[in-house]
Amino acid sequence: MKSSVENLSPTRVKLAVEVPFDELKSSLDEAYKAIGSQVRVPGFRPGKVPARIIDQRIGRAAVLEEAINKALPKAYSDAVRETGVKALGQPEIEVTTLEDNQRLAFTAEVDVRPEISVSGYDRLAVTVEDAAVTDDEVAEQFEQLRARFGTLKGVEREVRTGDFVSLDLTATVDGVEVEGGSAQGLSYEVGSGNLVEGLDEAILGKSAGESATFSSTLAFGEHAGSDAEITVVVNSVKERELPEADDDFAQLASEFDTVEELRADLRTRLDRVKVLGQGAEARDKVLELLVAQTEVPLPESAVQAEIEWREHDVVHQLGHDDAAFDRYLESQGKTREEFTAELREVAEKAVKTQFILDSIADAEAVSVSDAELTEYIVRQAQRYDMAPQEFADQIVQAGNIAALVADVRRNKALATVLESASVTDASGNPVDLSALSTPQGQAELEELEDAIEEAATGDEADAGIEDSDSGVEDSGEQSRV
């Protein structure tokens, strides 16, 4: 087989490939076998029809077409490997010459990873936030821990900020009740502001059994953007009682015997989170510098694939529900056009970053061992709450092993850049990020970022507190927070 490459642009090439006819023999045999199993010729069993009879009855042209369709993918892959082309996406293939028993020639146009030069990546300098943990931050963490072990106690008084109430809500527009706009026994933390705008002001000062009516703009549904009249009834009022900050609490909430030991552990954990935060900040700033200073031509197919992947991820999270997607856009204050434009901007930056890290990996001769790939698969399986073998099987079935290797290779290239970068905190102190280049450090950083992302999407489990009216165990007038 002979092949040559013509550069059409920095991101697209044309391969010209010639295949000697004798290399098509196995494909021709498969074609005769496949066609022979489908035709019925008197005197011959299915699958036993001789080639010359198939040529007479079906035609040699049909056999050649079947054989070429089988041979082209392998011939194209061999040409890509032979020429060293870094192909992206699917090629556009055109058969240019077909001479029976002579030769096959075809061309394949395909997008390629551009050849770029990344300079100065080994001498970057960035500044990150200080990682010092303050006493106030430790105190805040301690109070949050106390709140988790608090109890809700029913009170006979008016509603105050910080209380937990059970509410009935009814929304009407122009006097007509909104479909899906009513709820009973809804648990709500007063002052959190995560339910309906204007609700806090309406119920503050009210007591159990009292009601209020207020106006608010609906954010979702067919009446999104409309002014609605909302009636709220306060069913019950509870306040949170916190456990005493003593050694008994430390033993209840942790493995420590004393409050002093618990506070020290909280400080240690906060310190680790801040160090990880410094690593994430340094990584992001280093990537921003690399993207800003490097010219990268972008293949449209790569950008489009990234856009489609990101859009599918959003749609998948919304259950492939068009109405839910429209509500999502409404909540973001965006049109579909604006959403797509922002998605393209993000996708272009992501693809550019990938190409830059690929180029650095080439320059540094970065390779990926089986052990490193296995470690990465185990980490990713944990992130998706899957068994490592199940995750690996899905990757193999989807044909994504090469993409996974590329991810590991880019991570190693980025670690190399971070190790050589000059990173200082806001106070001028040097920051050592070497621990983040280890699998354990990367896993911790991934866990932190997953937690931040989950919090940003508004985990409903932490948005409010269910009480006994919602099925949570309640002893007398108290229920576990």
Side-chain angles (χ1 to χ4, degrees):
M1 186 178 72
K2 295 190 301 182
S3 55
S4 60
V5 181
E6 177 188 354
N7 292 319
L8 302 178
S9 75
T11 62
R12 195 165 180 82
V13 300
K14 177 189 282 188
L15 289 170
V17 185
E18 286 191 17
V19 183
F21 211 82
D22 58 0
E23 293 185 15
L24 297 177
K25 184 179 185 307
S26 62
S27 297
L28 281 167
D29 292 342
E30 290 181 23
Y32 276 116
K33 184 176 181 180
I35 294 174
S37 66
Q38 298 171 13
V39 299
R40 295 292 181 267
V41 179
F44 298 97
R45 289 180 296 167
K48 300 297 183 180
V49 183
R52 60 182 178 79
I53 301 299
I54 292 177
D55 287 345
Q56 293 171 2
R57 294 293 187 96
I58 307 299
R60 175 72 168 177
V63 178
L64 288 174
E65 181 180 357
E66 178 81 13
I68 290 171
N69 287 337
K70 292 178 178 296
L72 280 179
K74 180 180 184 304
Y76 167 73
S77 297
D78 290 344
V80 167
R81 186 165 50 252
E82 180 181 294
T83 57
V85 165
K86 300 182 176 76
L88 301 170
Q90 296 300 314
E92 295 179 6
I93 295 179
E94 179 184 358
V95 175
T96 56
T97 303
L98 175 57
E99 298 174 357
D100 197 359
N101 293 314
Q102 296 290 325
R103 68 190 182 103
L104 164 69
F106 67 90
T107 61
E109 288 191 22
V110 66
D111 283 342
V112 294
R113 198 187 90 194
E115 296 294 334
I116 60 176
S117 175
V118 185
S119 60
Y121 66 82
D122 56 346
R123 51 182 182 276
L124 298 174
V126 296
T127 301
V128 297
E129 294 293 328
D130 288 336
V133 177
T134 66
D135 292 342
D136 288 343
E137 289 172 326
V138 176
E140 181 182 356
Q141 287 289 309
F142 186 79
E143 290 306 309
Q144 289 179 6
L145 186 60
R146 288 180 68 201
R148 285 175 53 192
F149 284 85
T151 54
L152 295 182
K153 180 180 180 180
V155 291
E156 299 293 335
R157 59 163 173 75
E158 74 284 353
V159 174
R160 300 173 186 171
T161 299
D163 286 342
F164 294 85
V165 293
S166 172
L167 305 173
D168 293 342
L169 288 175
T170 304
T172 60
V173 174
D174 296 330
V176 179
E177 185 173 335
V178 176
E179 184 178 354
S182 299
Q184 286 74 44
L186 195 64
S187 295
Y188 177 66
E189 180 182 2
V190 183
S192 63
N194 59 9
L195 200 55
V196 181
E197 186 177 353
L199 176 61
D200 288 328
E201 293 80 1
I203 62 176
L204 283 171
K206 300 295 182 181
S207 298
E210 295 185 331
S211 62
T213 300
F214 64 99
S215 295
S216 185
T217 302
L218 297 179
F220 304 109
E222 60 177 306
H223 294 287
S226 301
D227 290 333
E229 186 175 83
I230 299 176
T231 300
V232 54
V233 178
V234 179
N235 296 321
S236 63
V237 184
K238 294 183 179 183
E239 64 180 8
R240 178 160 51 191
E241 289 188 337
L242 301 180
E244 292 294 328
D246 54 18
D247 292 345
D248 289 339
F249 169 66
Q251 294 165 21
L252 170 68
S254 70
E255 70 271 28
F256 302 104
D257 293 327
T258 66
V259 171
E260 289 72 19
E261 290 175 318
L262 175 56
R263 290 182 186 275
D265 180 66
L266 290 174
R267 183 179 293 275
T268 299
R269 292 174 182 270
L270 279 172
D271 182 70
R272 183 57 179 166
V273 168
K274 291 225 172 182
V275 169
L276 291 171
Q278 283 184 322
E281 186 182 0
R283 176 202 61 198
D284 293 344
K285 288 188 172 181
V286 160
L287 288 175
E288 287 175 5
L289 285 176
L290 289 172
V291 169
Q293 70 185 30
T294 309
E295 188 68 29
V296 182
L298 296 176
E300 178 57 27
S301 63
V303 174
Q304 192 60 40
E306 185 73 16
I307 290 174
E308 290 173 359
W309 178 82
R310 290 175 179 272
E311 186 171 26
H312 176 271
D313 189 50
V314 173
V315 173
H316 179 71
Q317 291 182 39
L318 296 172
H320 299 275
D321 185 338
D322 289 339
F325 184 59
D326 289 338
R327 291 195 297 271
Y328 167 77
L329 292 178
E330 290 169 8
S331 69
Q332 298 293 310
K334 301 173 186 174
T335 64
R336 282 183 177 263
E337 291 73 19
E338 290 171 335
F339 172 77
T340 301
E342 289 184 10
L343 210 58
R344 170 169 285 275
E345 183 179 348
V346 172
E348 288 180 349
K349 184 176 180 181
V351 173
K352 189 174 184 179
T353 301
Q354 291 170 9
F355 288 159
I356 289 172
L357 291 177
D358 286 339
S359 180
I360 294 173
D362 290 344
E364 297 290 331
V366 174
S367 61
V368 178
S369 67
D370 290 343
E372 289 169 331
L373 181 59
T374 300
E375 172 67 29
Y376 187 71
I377 288 174
V378 170
R379 290 211 318 270
Q380 295 305 305
Q382 291 173 342
R383 292 182 70 185
Y384 292 102
D385 195 25
M386 296 173 63
Q389 188 60 54
E390 179 187 2
F391 182 79
D393 289 343
Q394 290 190 10
I395 292 295
V396 171
Q397 291 170 7
N400 288 333
I401 282 292
L404 215 63
V405 173
D407 283 344
V408 178
R409 194 166 180 263
R410 289 170 188 145
N411 287 344
K412 292 183 67 176
L414 180 56
T416 298
V417 174
L418 285 173
E419 286 174 2
S420 59
S422 173
V423 182
T424 55
D425 63 21
S427 299
N429 303 309
V431 177
D432 180 14
L433 299 177
S434 58
L436 293 181
S437 63
T438 65
Q440 180 182 356
Q442 292 176 5
E444 286 185 277
L445 184 55
E446 288 170 355
E447 289 174 2
L448 174 62
E449 292 181 321
D450 286 345
I452 292 173
E453 182 179 353
E454 182 178 341
T457 57
D459 188 350
E460 294 300 327
D462 295 327
I465 295 180
E466 296 186 22
D467 60 19
S468 57
D469 297 331
S470 301
V472 176
E473 182 178 355
D474 194 345
S475 175
E477 286 298 310
Q478 296 187 352
S479 60
R480 177 68 65 190
V481 177

